[in-house]
Every structure is written in structure tokens, then in C-alpha cells.
Amino acid sequence: MAELVNVLSWFLLLAGGAFAVAGGVGLVRFPDFYTRLHAGGITDTLTALLIVGGLILQSGFSLLTIKLLLILLFLLFTTPTATHALARAAIADGLHPEGDAEKRDGAESSNT
């Protein structure tokens, strides 16, 4: 039973690390702010879930588990909120998505 928990724990930790690397690649490779924000926000949440899940399995049922669950709960609430706040701040600052300008120009020309 302990071997199964260890294997599952390491699988979660490695999967979390792989998603973190994929998110980092997305941050570097995606073309504009919003797609980069999407890559970072999605993978950040999933990475935290997988890594903290793996750590919970490693720690067993103890006070540390409760602390890790509280950290996970905090991250699950704050990460999407921070991503949303960044996107709203960018829109308020006048930064629009790249494909959005073509739609706006098309809508304006069809209206005139």
C-alpha cells in the first residue's frame, strides 16, 4: 500500500512539474499578453493542484496535510482572481487582444 501511495505521489509531483514547464513555454512562445496570461493562469492552477496533492500523499494524514490543504485552497482562489485582475487591468489600459482588433475593424466597417 505504501508503494502505491509513493508511486501516485511521485506521478502527481512529476505531472505538476511537467505542467509548470508547459506553462513556462507558453509564456515565452505565445504571441500576445492575453494568450500568455491564459497559459500561465491555467497551468499555474493545475500545477498547484497536482504538486500539493502529491505532497499531501507524501505527508500522510497529519497537521501538515491540513496546512497543505489550506495552502491549496488559498491558491485555488487567488490564482484565477489574479489572472482576471491582470486581464481587466490590461483592457482598462487599452491593451486589446490581437484578433480582437480585426473583429472591431470589421464591425465598424460593416456599420458604416
Side-chain angles (χ1 to χ4, degrees), residues 7-112:
V7 169
L8 183 61
S9 171
W10 281 108
F11 174 75
L12 289 175
L13 290 170
L14 289 174
F19 276 108
V21 169
V25 170
L27 287 175
V28 172
R29 298 286 300 173
F30 282 168
D32 68 342
F33 175 77
Y34 294 100
T35 54
R36 290 177 181 167
L37 191 63
H38 180 73
I42 294 292
T43 57
D44 190 30
T45 304
L46 186 60
T47 297
L49 183 67
L50 291 172
I51 289 178
V52 173
L55 290 175
I56 286 173
L57 289 177
Q58 282 290 316
S59 69
F61 187 72
S62 65
L63 182 61
L64 184 60
T65 302
I66 294 170
K67 290 178 182 177
L68 286 170
L69 285 173
L70 289 175
I71 290 170
L72 180 63
L73 185 68
F74 177 74
L75 286 174
L76 290 178
F77 279 114
T78 57
T79 301
T81 304
T83 303
H84 181 77
L86 282 173
R88 285 189 57 97
I91 288 174
D93 196 38
L95 181 64
H96 295 285
E98 285 184 5
D100 197 35
E102 297 164 1
K103 289 179 186 175
R104 281 183 283 134
D105 292 342
E108 289 175 3
S109 64
S110 66
N111 289 338
T112 56

